[in-house]
Amino acid sequence: MANDDAPAAELPEIIVTAQKTAQSIERVPLSVGTVDGELFQQSGATGFADLQGYVGNVTIALSPTGGDFFVRGFGTLSTNAGFEPSVGTVVDGVFYGRSNFLSVFFNDVSRMEVLRGPQGTLFGKNSTAGVFNLVTRTPDSGNGGVGEAFVSDSGEYAVRPVLNMVFDEHWSARLSGNFSRDDQGELFNTDLDRDEVNVAQDTLRLRVRYDSDKIRTDIGAFYSDQRLNANNFQLIKVSDPMLQLMRQYDADAEGRLDFRNSANVPARGATRFVGANATVDYPLDGLRGIDKLDFTAISAYARQVIEDRDIDADFSPVPFIRDTLIDPSPFRQLSQEFRFTGHDDNVLGFGHSIDFVIGGYWYESTLNANDVFRVEDLGAALSYVTAAQSGAPNANAGLQLLGMPLTRLAFPVGRLVDLLNPVLNPLLGGDQAAYVTLDQKTSTQAIFGQMEYFILDDWALIAGARVGREHKQGHFTSTAEGFLIPLIADQNDHDTRLSRTETEFSPKLGLKWQLLPIANTYLTWTRGYKSGGFNALPLNDRNLEFDPERATSLELGAKARLLQGSLRLSAALFDTRFDNLQVSTFATDSGAAAPVFLNAASARSR
């Protein structure tokens, strides 16, 4: 018989590092969603995308060649290597400039935190929508090995071993692996009769810790090799002329949402990740009379090389155009952060306690993006273009025969070109292609600080700011062979060099009412910054760069543990405005379709 007087089970305290210091989640004046490492295992998740249902207002899509994160409806698609993310990726205190680095760290996780809204003050650029803050497990106090094996009826399986080693009272290490396969994938390609987005991963991570009374040093390193079939799209709306053309090449082609696609390019993706980082924590308690003061230095290096990446650029079974890497595409970053984190119970005899963070940050990265757009079949290409433009009022004026738009002739044009190919190829040139490249170098420096100053016993003033400077250099090239791609994609040959310098200012102001240690209400005003950049698909010498994006947010929130600690409550009202929102679109003024990257006027999330 149940005992009605038995106390309710108390929820455990959740410690987060959302403000670069360890705090109970009920003390943090911002909206934070968390998933702990136990839930990672209990949920049966095979990747971060499987966990998005546990954290509200979050969408995650990861692959070896790109990562798309959205918080409160805003994020950045990884359709262009020159785009910076809108949601920052931070793992064990290290900021990673490309979101797909997160895929390396799925297993042996202590905690995932999702910080909603602009986080520029403490986390810097490229966090206008939020931050994914991941904390992996540290070496523990015993020798031994653990792990898990996972098999599903959908064709996924994984082995994730962990080995913990203690060498003496100061030194310990933790080695973890993730060896996973997905035989089924997320989509089925009816044209190639194969599964798509079936990621295979081989990852090793090492973490070594030195711990003494005076200093703690944490050294990490990782290596990951990831591969997949890379046709990761699905057409859900197709015009009747285009559907008729597609079904000439694949009778099962369709335009609806059902996890089936049709592409003729046997696209593959493969990326190799390597990295290392070192974190040093040194306590300075009592320095200049400050009760608790810690110095932290974080040094990091990371590199990803996309070694293989194909895209069926027409997203159909029609052998029209494909996008392939000319050479492996590397991204490399170096970073250094220094910060002081402290707490003092008395500030020069005024008010009450203060918590603060102050520091400096340096970051440098290089990127090489290179693509070749190649027409696979001239007849199919013209059939595709005429079907796509059939009935369009602004059909490409260049695509005419004896004054009649080819859009009215549609499919017979392609068949005619196929018949004439033996004659046309020597005249027009057999290779219809465009080669485009971007070499980019980025350098960023910033100083930042934030404090919570309790002016009364339970009322705190929140204030902070980040000031930074970023410099980017870009070298673009575009070269075409043949006549078709300049005609349909507005390509022109060019060799261009550009540089840009930006200044970042990300302030934060707010008020917090900490009525109890397990409850607080807050009102904050924050600004975030996403850096401008360069178009990594520079088919022509126009629209080569775009300006920075900025977000301004007002948020009223409350969080508490209630009913003797058995209920955790978190709620927020927010209004976030994005100015100069960076968007990917196509320029079609001349009837040709060239990818461009522009700044929209504004957008809003409420």
Side-chain angles (χ1 to χ4, degrees):
M1 184 175 182
N3 183 0
D4 295 337
D5 296 328
E10 185 174 353
L11 292 170
E13 183 181 27
I14 296 178
I15 301 298
V16 296
T17 53
Q19 297 192 117
K20 292 187 179 286
T21 186
Q23 293 175 292
S24 167
I25 195 170
E26 282 81 26
R27 289 183 173 272
V28 178
L30 60 93
S31 179
V32 183
T34 64
V35 178
D36 66 20
E38 291 185 8
L39 184 56
F40 271 64
Q41 295 176 311
Q42 295 169 0
S43 67
T46 59
F48 286 99
D50 296 333
L51 297 168
Q52 58 191 329
Y54 294 95
V55 186
N57 290 329
V58 173
T59 302
I60 308 173
L62 271 177
S63 80
T65 56
D68 303 330
F69 298 165
F70 289 78
V71 175
R72 291 177 172 173
F74 282 86
T76 302
L77 292 173
S78 55
T79 54
N80 187 285
F83 259 164
E84 308 278 4
S86 301
V87 179
T89 298
V90 179
V91 181
D92 295 330
V94 178
F95 169 82
Y96 290 94
R98 293 297 181 266
S99 302
N100 54 330
F101 274 102
L102 187 64
S103 63
V104 174
F105 300 95
F106 177 72
N107 68 309
D108 206 30
V109 169
S110 176
R111 183 180 65 259
M112 180 179 78
E113 305 169 7
V114 179
L115 286 53
R116 304 182 183 94
Q119 305 296 326
T121 304
L122 289 180
F123 290 93
K125 67 171 189 169
N126 305 338
S127 58
T128 48
V131 165
F132 279 89
N133 185 34
L134 192 73
V135 181
T136 65
R137 293 189 185 277
T138 60
D140 56 38
S141 58
N143 287 300
V146 296
E148 60 181 6
F150 172 85
V151 180
S152 77
D153 55 8
S154 63
E156 294 177 276
Y157 55 96
V159 177
R160 301 188 182 109
V162 177
L163 177 63
N164 198 88
M165 298 162 284
V166 178
F167 304 112
D168 58 32
E169 60 178 336
H170 299 302
W171 288 95
S172 57
R174 191 174 184 91
L175 179 66
S176 60
N178 183 6
F179 307 97
S180 61
R181 301 291 184 270
D182 182 1
D183 289 341
Q184 180 170 323
E186 297 180 13
L187 298 169
F188 181 74
N189 187 327
T190 57
D191 187 57
L192 297 177
D193 190 29
R194 74 175 197 182
D195 294 293
E196 303 283 357
V197 201
N198 52 343
V199 178
Q201 177 175 163
D202 296 306
T203 298
L204 280 173
R205 298 202 329 260
L206 175 66
R207 193 163 179 180
V208 178
R209 170 166 284 193
Y210 174 82
D211 203 344
S212 70
D213 294 338
K214 285 296 184 181
I215 192 170
R216 172 181 290 173
T217 302
D218 209 325
I219 301 171
F222 61 83
Y223 172 86
S224 182
D225 184 78
Q226 302 182 29
R227 308 162 299 283
L228 82 165
N229 291 339
N231 287 313
N232 58 348
F233 56 84
Q234 183 180 14
L235 296 175
I236 61 173
K237 187 174 182 180
V238 182
S239 68
D240 289 337
M242 182 59 70
L243 187 59
Q244 292 177 42
L245 176 63
M246 289 168 56
R247 285 179 174 168
Q248 290 185 20
Y249 295 91
D250 178 10
D252 295 322
E254 56 193 23
R256 60 177 178 170
L257 183 61
D258 60 358
F259 300 98
R260 289 157 63 94
N261 66 2
S262 179
N264 70 291
V265 175
R268 292 283 297 163
T271 305
R272 180 167 42 87
F273 303 85
V274 294
N277 61 277
T279 300
V280 177
D281 291 300
Y282 189 79
L284 299 169
D285 298 349
L287 181 67
R288 296 191 175 275
I290 300 174
D291 295 335
K292 180 173 176 54
L293 182 65
D294 291 293
F295 170 74
T296 300
I298 303 175
S299 309
Y301 164 84
R303 176 182 171 92
Q304 63 161 282
V305 181
I306 301 178
E307 298 177 328
D308 191 7
R309 193 226 59 218
D310 306 296
I311 299 174
D312 190 328
D314 55 83
F315 310 110
S316 78
V318 182
F320 172 19
I321 190 169
R322 65 189 295 169
D323 172 8
T324 306
L325 289 181
I326 303 171
D327 295 302
S329 176
F331 171 85
R332 178 191 64 89
Q333 68 171 65
L334 287 165
S335 63
Q336 179 67 60
E337 178 174 333
F338 299 103
R339 69 171 182 261
F340 294 91
T341 306
H343 169 87
D344 197 61
D345 287 330
N346 184 279
V347 185
L348 301 176
F350 299 99
H352 295 263
S353 65
I354 185 172
D355 294 284
F356 64 88
V357 179
I358 186 169
Y361 183 73
W362 171 84
Y363 171 91
E364 184 177 280
S365 69
T366 58
L367 166 71
N368 173 263
N370 59 85
D371 295 79
V372 54
F373 296 89
R374 176 168 279 112
V375 173
E376 299 176 272
D377 180 275
L378 190 57
L382 290 177
S383 293
Y384 187 99
V385 172
T386 54
Q389 296 192 356
S390 182
N394 62 339
N396 194 326
L399 294 173
Q400 293 188 357
L401 181 64
L402 299 177
M404 177 179 290
L406 295 184
T407 55
R408 298 182 185 176
L409 302 179
F411 312 133
V413 173
R415 299 194 187 105
L416 177 62
V417 172
D418 285 337
L419 292 173
L420 296 177
N421 256 343
V423 178
L424 292 176
N425 274 342
L427 296 175
L428 303 177
D431 197 18
Q432 302 287 330
Y435 301 82
V436 298
T437 67
L438 167 64
D439 284 308
Q440 175 180 292
K441 183 176 181 179
T442 303
S443 179
T444 302
Q445 306 86 34
I447 56 173
F448 62 90
Q450 182 173 304
M451 70 170 185
E452 287 182 17
Y453 175 32
F454 278 84
I455 51 178
L456 298 174
D457 188 44
D458 50 8
W459 284 91
L461 175 67
I462 302 167
R466 188 183 194 99
V467 178
R469 180 183 181 274
E470 178 170 276
H471 181 69
K472 280 183 178 174
Q473 296 174 305
H475 178 207
F476 314 79
T477 67
S478 178
T479 307
E481 296 179 3
F483 77 100
L484 189 56
I485 291 183
L487 186 65
I488 64 177
D490 197 22
Q491 185 274 343
N492 66 265
D493 290 0
H494 69 96
D495 187 317
T496 308
R497 295 179 184 270
L498 293 174
S499 65
R500 56 182 298 118
T501 301
E502 301 168 358
T503 300
E504 167 195 3
F505 179 57
S506 300
K508 181 173 186 176
L509 292 172
L511 197 63
K512 182 174 83 166
W513 181 34
Q514 190 77 53
L515 179 62
L516 297 169
I518 57 172
N520 93 73
T521 301
Y522 62 90
L523 175 66
T524 56
W525 175 87
T526 57
R527 292 196 68 192
Y529 162 87
K530 179 184 174 186
S531 60
F534 299 128
N535 179 3
L537 299 174
L539 282 164
N540 56 52
D541 56 2
R542 301 181 300 280
N543 299 307
L544 290 178
E545 57 183 323
F546 43 87
D547 290 330
E549 168 186 305
R550 301 183 189 275
T552 305
S553 185
L554 185 66
E555 181 169 330
L556 174 64
K559 52 184 66 177
R561 274 190 291 166
L562 306 174
L563 302 180
Q564 297 178 325
S566 63
L567 173 67
R568 179 171 284 114
L569 172 69
S570 178
L573 297 171
F574 63 91
D575 188 327
T576 305
R577 178 185 174 91
F578 294 82
D579 293 305
N580 278 340
L581 184 72
Q582 296 171 4
V583 295
S584 171
T585 185
F586 286 86
T588 58
D589 294 340
S590 64
V596 296
F597 302 87
L598 305 172
N599 294 94
S602 64
R604 206 166 190 177
S605 176
R606 289 185 286 186

